[in-house]
Amino acid sequence: MFKLGLLEEISALKNKGIINESCQSMQAIGYKEIFKYFNNELSIEEVKELICKNSRNYAKRQITFIKGFNNVNWFNPLTEYDKIIRLCVCIGKTEKICEIIEIYLCW
């Protein structure tokens, strides 16, 4: 997220008055935490850690929800990320590969 310009994107939109932290679009993981940096509540490193923590927690909630389905193929992100990448390529979701790898790195 940060390497792709998250901080610069939000800063520019905030400075132009297009967004503020109460906007619905700023409630997504990654965006809502940045405002803690802008409000001098957290350092940028603390924000990065919080984003990773919130991403993990969200993923855990998704797993709990998905466990109710019978036709799910599970992959271990620590040992099978190559299978995940091949699956993304196979189904034409190559734009998701960076997100998958970034989530993997946060773990």
Side-chain angles (χ1 to χ4, degrees):
M1 293 175 133
F2 285 89
K3 289 180 184 177
L4 296 174
L6 176 68
L7 187 61
E8 294 79 8
E9 173 191 352
I10 297 173
S11 181
L13 293 171
K14 182 178 173 286
N15 292 338
K16 291 179 183 177
I18 296 173
I19 61 163
N20 60 51
E21 61 187 304
S22 65
C23 291
Q24 179 65 34
S25 60
M26 294 297 107
Q27 301 311 306
I29 295 172
Y31 290 87
K32 63 183 174 184
E33 294 85 357
I34 290 292
F35 281 96
K36 293 186 183 299
Y37 171 73
F38 289 140
N39 295 336
N40 294 316
E41 296 172 31
L42 297 174
S43 71
I44 198 66
E45 289 306 315
E46 291 171 317
V47 167
K48 288 178 181 180
E49 289 175 20
L50 183 59
I51 290 171
C52 282
K53 176 184 163 282
N54 290 343
S55 294
R56 281 191 306 272
N57 290 342
Y58 183 67
K60 288 176 186 176
R61 288 193 304 275
Q62 288 179 315
I63 289 169
T64 299
F65 174 77
I66 292 172
K67 281 184 179 179
F69 296 93
N70 295 327
N71 59 347
V72 175
N73 292 317
W74 292 97
F75 298 98
N76 182 334
L78 299 176
T79 59
E80 299 180 296
Y81 55 88
D82 57 322
K83 290 181 184 177
I84 297 169
I85 292 171
R86 283 196 304 272
L87 178 63
C88 288
V89 171
C90 181
I91 63 174
K93 298 293 184 185
T94 54
E95 72 278 0
K96 296 292 185 187
I97 292 174
C98 289
E99 291 177 37
I100 291 167
I101 291 171
E102 187 168 339
I103 289 169
Y104 161 75
L105 293 176
C106 284
W107 287 73

